[in-house]
Amino acid sequence: MTVQPRSSAPNIILTNIETVPGKTITQHMGLVQGSSVRAKHIGRDIAAGLKNIVGGELKGYTELLQEAREEATSRMVQEAQKRGANAIVNVRFATASLTQGAAELFAYGTAVRVE
């Protein structure tokens, strides 16, 4: 996966494996991370409650998690760009419930330079 940066900075390669196939890691720049904390709202809770009765995808929550994943990934990429990396390897995602109704999505990986 290659992420288009928001600024004029070069693209960042993202991968969940430890190397970038066809490339050589020339510099290790450390752990980079990004997170986003999102809260549900009453409309999504009502829709999710109804879906629990009849079954099916909870689209409101799916969208909420997708938005959180994109924001956390964007923040992780920005941190890697600040360090001069052009790739992030071993990318992982984690979630945690902070309080009732709010959850954190956390993205992390290892920033590297590849050639």
Side-chain angles (χ1 to χ4, degrees), residues 26-87:
T26 59
Q27 196 171 0
H28 177 273
M29 303 177 139
L31 178 71
V32 287
Q33 60 191 2
S35 69
S36 179
V37 176
R38 299 285 171 131
K40 300 178 283 188
H41 65 70
I42 190 74
R44 285 183 173 154
D45 281 345
I46 292 171
L50 294 173
K51 277 289 187 180
N52 278 336
I53 296 170
V54 297
E57 181 181 13
L58 304 176
K59 291 184 178 178
Y61 290 156
T62 300
E63 291 171 9
L64 182 77
L65 287 175
Q66 180 63 31
E67 292 166 4
R69 193 175 306 116
E70 289 173 5
E71 186 65 37
T73 301
S74 174
R75 290 175 178 164
M76 177 181 67
V77 166
Q78 288 173 11
E79 185 178 338
Q81 288 174 327
K82 286 179 187 172
R83 296 182 186 195
N86 63 0

Side-chain angles (χ1 to χ4, degrees), residues 13 47 53 90 100-101:
I13 299 169
I53 296 170
N90 215 17
Q100 185 173 2

